[in-house]
Amino acid sequence: KVRKARLLISKVDPWSVLKMSFLLSVALGIMLVVCAVTLWSMMDLTGIFDRVNDLAQQVLGADGPGGSFRLEEMVTVGQIASFATIIAVVNVVLLTVLSMLAAVLYNLSASLVGGIGLTLTDD
């Protein structure tokens, strides 16, 4: 026989939301930096930058500014890693603050309407 339990989520602890969102956003930031560096390395290994440089020489001309155009010299892997790190830090701060704000707003709205109802069953 299946047992059912009806529960209400009437309050969310903002401190636990803050800790969990901080840890998850740090993990997301690390993944962002690793993915950016990996993508840059894969593009370099597959020769995409050489193709872009050849295309720039064809479009701009070999004796004009296209002759000295080198994409990998303009944007290095270090710049990509530092830019991805800056974006990751901003994301950590924003996601942590927004999730904390969402928990506080949920608590305020749950005090008015009672919260979210859940039905749990035992299989």
Side-chain angles (χ1 to χ4, degrees), residues 56-72:
Q57 283 181 345
Q58 290 176 358
V59 171
L60 298 174
D63 52 346
S68 62
F69 181 79
R70 303 293 304 165
L71 182 61
E72 59 271 9

Side-chain angles (χ1 to χ4, degrees), residues 43 47-58 69 71:
M43 288 173 64
I48 291 177
F49 295 131
D50 294 331
R51 292 180 186 166
V52 170
N53 292 335
D54 293 340
L55 179 65
Q57 283 181 345
Q58 290 176 358
F69 181 79
L71 182 61

Side-chain angles (χ1 to χ4, degrees), residues 6-58:
R6 292 189 45 82
L7 301 172
L8 283 175
I9 301 176
S10 60
K11 185 176 186 304
V12 177
D13 185 29
W15 179 247
S16 66
V17 169
L18 177 81
K19 292 187 294 185
M20 188 59 114
S21 66
F22 177 75
L23 288 176
L24 290 176
S25 61
V26 165
L28 183 68
I30 291 170
M31 287 180 359
L32 175 73
V33 172
V34 169
C35 286
V37 171
T38 303
L39 182 64
W40 180 267
S41 299
M42 295 312 291
M43 288 173 64
D44 190 26
L45 286 174
T46 56
I48 291 177
F49 295 131
D50 294 331
R51 292 180 186 166
V52 170
N53 292 335
D54 293 340
L55 179 65
Q57 283 181 345
Q58 290 176 358

Side-chain angles (χ1 to χ4, degrees), residues 25-26 28-30 32-33 83-93:
S25 61
V26 165
L28 183 68
I30 291 170
L32 175 73
V33 172
F83 185 68
T85 304
I86 290 169
I87 289 176
V89 168
V90 169
N91 276 337
V92 165
V93 171

